[in-house]
Amino acid sequence: MKRYAYYLSCINESMTKEVDRSIELWQKELGLDFVKLHEGTCCGGSNLDYVSPKHFALVNGRNIALAEKMGLDLVVSCNTCLMTIRSAKKKLDESPELKKEVNDILKKEGLQYKGTSEVRHLLWVLIDDVGLDTIRQKVKVPLKNYRIAPFYGCHILRPSAVLGHDNPVDPSSLDQLIEALGGATIPYKHKNRCCGFHTLLVAEQESLNVAAEALQEAIEAKADFIVTPCPLCHTSLDGYQAKALKNAGIESSIPVFHLSEMVGLALGYSAKQLGIKRHIVG
Amino acid sequence: MTVPTDQHKELKKDVTFRIFRFNPQVDSKPYFDDYTIPVERGITVLRSLNYIKEHIDASISFRAFCQAGICGSCGMRINGLSQLACTTQVWDVLVKSKEPGVIKVEPLRNLPLIKDLIVDMDPLVGKMKHYSNWIESTMPESSMGKKEFLVSEEEFLRYDKATDCILCASCVSECSILRANKEYVSPAVLLKSYRMNADSRDALHEQRLAELVKDHGVWDCTHCYRCQETCVKSIPIMDAIHGIREDAIENRGMKDTSGSKHAEAFMTDIAKKGKLVEATLPIRTNGVIWTLQNLVPMAAKMIMKRRTPPPPPLVKSAKGIKTFREMFKEMTEHVKQDHKSHKK
């Protein structure tokens, strides 16, 4: 059993609870033991970094230091949390002064940021640690009847200097996972594009247009569903789907699954167990 | 980074350039023309285009000047990615071609098309003007030419990279928000605005910032990082965009736009609970009326699916919040000290 510190993303604790629930169902089957980091705090959602760069370094230096104290890597299942925490790590690793300033404060809690724990996405752990061959062997219900549109989202790919796991122009990790689970991917130009989530409350029309384009391509390609490794992309593409498509004059719909749900389906769990019924688009 | 393949070992081969064609005065719709030419290893896409224009079809239109990655005029989409034709080697893009041996060449996106690979840069220039992307000197005219305008190295480092921009518009072509709304300021203009605003010799800082925080301005960026990823000069454009936001918050406070209010909510919630209180985020960003008009129909569906975020009292604080709050406050003191010493 491989152990990891598991970062609790705000959105997965409130709107997309099905992500963590579905991971809990199958983690042991794939030899993974995710220890929830209840002391962890919000990463700042790609906003705190410019509101206050120093608080950003403190908050995320602490999030990583909590995992380091346990001697574990930190696993994240939200793209933006991933990018944000990894950005902070890069800043701390590159600046001894900032690291010292953060560590002087972290002492209060008996913590120290050393830079020894990696910050990794759930998708990367599945590919690199569990391995596609093991996943193939564990599949009980191959997704062979499904044509799947893989929507990676931005913050698992870009900036590549911070992320660096996949080629941001033509990523393949999610495609590989889908194939290992027995599914077929469709050629999908929007796979590395944006979902518009981060401006839904600030520039709504623009965000809806961005989401509609991604949905439209998957609908026209007759995909059975879209899958995404990010709960924020899911919220934009599922939660706002009706509004985005209506806005674009498109009368259709397409289900959007979380990565964790797709894995669960292939491992034989039901849509109800995985929380798929909680989605806005049925 | 390109992966060495057998293809790299070859010194010469036939390559097909599938070039976007459209002359609005003649053609009813765009089409592609294929040109197959022998290409030696080490040849750029621009040299190939020149060869095609000189030897096969003189009617193809594209812009190019310096041929050395300096002037920024040959920005185009090569195999789907916006880049400079003069610094892009055929061998490097060939390994990424969807169809073996074929390189697709298209005009930049998000700017009006003039002909073939030429786009109209006027909207971009217009935005540069709108956001006053030049320095207006703070030095009185009477002193000009008599004394030096010194810039500290620390200050220069803040915008050193931003000055590398050659206005090739590759970032403009890749921008997600510009694709959704052509009114959006665009990344190249934000980069240039940041560069001017960070310059201590400039007198337009406040006027420019006031314009940047309006609709279609700096807060509309959706953090997709496509601009930064595609930049032919590897400029961290998102740092510049975040830099403008940081500046706006410091100089204009956090109450003047929905963007800054949205950002403030993260800071406030983390300081208080260590967790984001999502239920009230729309109200705090846009007020009650906007929230009622825009989100109530969706909220009904979300309630039915038990998908609504919990109300503020039910959002549990992170474990160990007391010490966390103390540490957060301590950092606030550090930041205050930093500001004081900066002002000195």
Side-chain angles (χ1 to χ4, degrees):
Chain A
M1 201 68 74
K2 293 191 179 95
R3 289 183 89 214
Y4 305 85
Y6 183 75
Y7 179 75
L8 299 170
S9 299
C10 294
I11 192 153
N12 287 343
E13 298 241 279
S14 61
M15 290 158 78
T16 49
K17 287 182 180 149
E18 64 274 12
V19 172
D20 288 354
R21 279 188 203 159
S22 49
I23 294 170
E24 272 167 40
L25 286 177
W26 52 252
Q27 54 171 316
K28 297 269 155 47
E29 262 170 78
L30 294 183
L32 302 169
D33 181 14
F34 293 133
V35 186
K36 285 183 179 175
L37 208 60
H38 291 288
E39 296 87 352
T41 63
C42 171
C43 67
S46 174
N47 286 297
L48 188 64
D49 38 354
Y50 59 83
V51 177
S52 176
K54 284 211 169 163
H55 285 96
F56 166 73
L58 173 72
V59 163
N60 291 306
R62 180 178 170 275
N63 282 330
I64 302 168
L66 288 165
E68 287 181 351
K69 198 177 179 183
M70 297 154 80
L72 302 173
D73 278 353
L74 184 60
V75 172
V76 183
S77 55
C78 163
N79 285 6
T80 295
C81 298
L82 174 81
M83 187 275 284
T84 302
I85 302 174
R86 283 180 70 96
S87 296
K89 179 172 169 57
K90 191 164 186 281
K91 288 200 165 78
L92 287 162
D93 291 342
E94 286 172 359
S95 165
E97 299 86 39
L98 182 64
K99 190 167 145 182
K100 187 181 178 303
E101 191 175 354
V102 164
N103 275 334
D104 283 347
I105 299 180
L106 287 180
K107 262 186 220 151
K108 259 205 172 94
E109 206 181 344
L111 289 171
Q112 189 192 1
Y113 173 83
K114 299 191 210 84
T116 50
S117 284
E118 277 301 314
V119 182
R120 305 166 67 194
H121 196 284
L122 172 69
L123 174 62
W124 302 351
V125 169
L126 289 172
I127 302 262
D128 299 338
D129 292 8
V130 180
L132 293 169
D133 286 340
T134 308
I135 292 172
R136 257 182 224 112
Q137 286 162 16
K138 301 273 179 184
V139 168
K140 292 188 185 115
V141 186
L143 306 175
K144 62 181 177 195
N145 295 323
Y146 299 109
R147 287 163 49 78
I148 304 167
F151 189 88
Y152 287 75
C154 296
H155 295 161
I156 199 169
L157 304 173
R158 292 179 297 269
S160 58
V162 168
L163 295 146
H165 190 277
D166 256 298
N167 173 358
V169 178
D170 189 16
S172 64
S173 58
L174 184 56
D175 291 66
Q176 288 170 35
L177 180 66
I178 291 169
E179 278 150 27
L181 297 172
T185 56
I186 62 153
Y188 189 39
K189 282 185 188 159
H190 278 80
K191 61 157 63 174
N192 71 343
R193 296 203 71 96
C194 178
C195 72
F197 177 86
H198 285 284
T199 32
L200 272 168
L201 295 177
V202 179
E204 195 192 26
Q205 281 308 310
E206 285 82 349
S207 294
L208 293 175
N209 288 350
V210 169
E213 262 204 77
L215 293 163
Q216 187 178 5
E217 191 195 347
I219 291 168
E220 283 173 2
K222 298 198 165 41
D224 292 301
F225 61 86
I226 294 172
V227 68
T228 175
C230 178
L232 305 181
C233 297
H234 188 274
T235 302
S236 184
L237 298 177
D238 173 73
Y240 280 80
Q241 184 178 130
K243 204 171 183 181
L245 290 178
K246 192 179 169 198
N247 197 47
I250 299 163
E251 281 179 34
S252 189
S253 70
I254 182 163
V256 186
F257 291 174
H258 297 283
L259 162 75
S260 56
E261 293 169 338
M262 179 180 71
V263 172
L265 284 173
L267 293 178
Y269 295 95
S270 70
K272 195 179 171 194
Q273 282 173 302
L274 293 162
I276 291 171
K277 304 228 158 165
R278 297 184 77 245
H279 297 181
I280 299 294
V281 180
Chain B
M1 200 178 73
T2 50
V3 184
T5 61
D6 287 345
Q7 194 174 281
H8 271 72
K9 290 176 196 156
E10 281 180 67
L11 296 173
K12 193 173 185 179
K13 68 184 294 181
D14 283 349
V15 178
T16 300
F17 290 84
R18 185 159 292 159
I19 300 176
F20 178 96
R21 305 298 308 269
F22 185 54
N23 179 353
Q25 290 177 342
V26 183
D27 304 321
S28 58
K29 60 179 186 196
Y31 59 96
F32 285 88
D33 269 336
D34 280 6
Y35 303 91
T36 304
I37 56 167
V39 180
E40 282 177 25
R41 186 180 168 181
I43 294 296
T44 63
V45 172
L46 181 57
R47 281 191 65 184
S48 309
L49 291 176
N50 281 333
Y51 180 90
I52 294 167
K53 190 168 172 74
E54 279 167 31
H55 296 94
I56 307 175
D57 186 348
S59 73
I60 299 172
S61 300
F62 53 91
R63 271 197 202 105
F65 187 64
C66 79
Q67 312 205 35
I70 298 165
C71 76
S73 57
C74 66
M76 54 187 75
R77 280 187 300 138
I78 302 164
N79 274 351
L81 195 68
S82 307
Q83 46 199 321
L84 295 179
C86 70
T87 54
T88 305
Q89 295 215 355
V90 171
W91 251 240
D92 288 348
V93 279
L94 215 46
V95 288
K96 297 167 198 156
S97 286
K98 291 248 166 0
E99 195 177 321
V102 179
I103 292 175
K104 209 171 178 184
V105 188
E106 297 162 279
L108 294 178
R109 279 206 180 100
N110 294 332
L111 288 164
L113 184 73
I114 295 178
K115 182 175 180 280
D116 298 342
L117 303 174
I118 299 180
V119 292
D120 184 0
M121 300 292 269
D122 283 356
L124 185 61
V125 175
K127 284 174 189 170
M128 291 281 177
K129 284 184 188 161
H130 180 82
Y131 291 94
S132 314
N133 279 340
W134 55 81
I135 297 280
E136 209 156 291
S137 181
T138 50
M139 188 182 275
E141 222 170 317
S142 56
S143 307
M144 281 187 187
K146 290 173 193 156
K147 86 182 188 195
E148 272 188 294
F149 226 146
L150 294 176
V151 170
S152 69
E153 194 177 342
E154 189 199 351
E155 178 188 323
F156 183 65
L157 285 175
R158 282 204 289 273
Y159 49 79
D160 181 16
K161 283 184 183 158
T163 62
D164 289 348
C165 174
I166 53 171
L167 300 174
C168 72
S170 288
C171 61
V172 171
S173 172
E174 295 291 321
C175 175
S176 299
I177 292 295
L178 206 55
R179 195 175 158 112
N181 187 343
K182 300 292 176 278
E183 297 289 307
Y184 174 58
V185 50
S186 81
V189 178
L190 288 172
L191 178 70
K192 204 57 97 180
S193 295
Y194 167 79
R195 181 257 168 277
M196 301 304 162
N197 265 4
D199 195 316
S200 62
R201 296 165 295 184
D202 173 58
L204 296 178
H205 176 271
E206 257 131 76
Q207 177 193 323
R208 195 181 295 113
L209 197 56
E211 207 53 40
L212 286 164
V213 299
K214 287 185 185 164
D215 271 359
H216 312 308
V218 69
W219 292 109
D220 285 13
C221 162
T222 192
H223 321 181
C224 74
Y225 285 83
R226 292 183 74 88
C227 54
Q228 178 164 324
E229 202 64 43
T230 204
C231 179
V232 303
K233 294 288 172 187
S234 306
I235 303 168
I237 304 176
M238 272 310 299
D239 286 358
I241 296 173
H242 281 351
I244 296 173
R245 290 176 169 184
E246 198 182 337
D247 187 17
I249 287 167
E250 207 176 309
N251 283 284
R252 304 177 57 90
M254 305 193 77
K255 300 287 178 201
D256 69 333
T257 59
S258 57
S260 58
K261 287 183 214 162
H262 185 67
E264 183 190 28
F266 282 82
M267 183 79 176
T268 313
D269 289 355
I270 295 171
K272 200 172 163 191
K273 294 199 168 197
K275 291 279 172 185
L276 188 63
V277 182
E278 282 160 332
T280 55
L281 205 51
I283 292 175
R284 288 183 288 167
T285 304
N286 290 308
V288 177
I289 295 169
W290 185 94
T291 305
L292 288 173
Q293 283 171 347
N294 282 272
L295 297 180
V296 164
M298 248 172 64
K301 269 191 217 166
M302 287 177 69
I303 291 167
M304 273 164 57
K305 298 275 188 173
R306 294 192 202 158
R307 215 174 171 72
T308 40
L314 296 184
V315 176
K316 271 204 299 193
S317 295
K319 207 173 155 189
I321 189 70
K322 215 175 143 219
T323 319
F324 175 78
R325 278 186 200 140
E326 284 168 22
M327 295 193 296
F328 202 87
K329 272 186 197 149
E330 197 178 329
M331 191 54 106
T332 306
E333 289 308 312
H334 287 215
V335 173
K336 277 184 195 160
Q337 283 301 322
D338 289 349
H339 283 183
K340 266 187 205 162
S341 54
H342 272 308
K343 273 176 190 158
K344 275 178 203 162

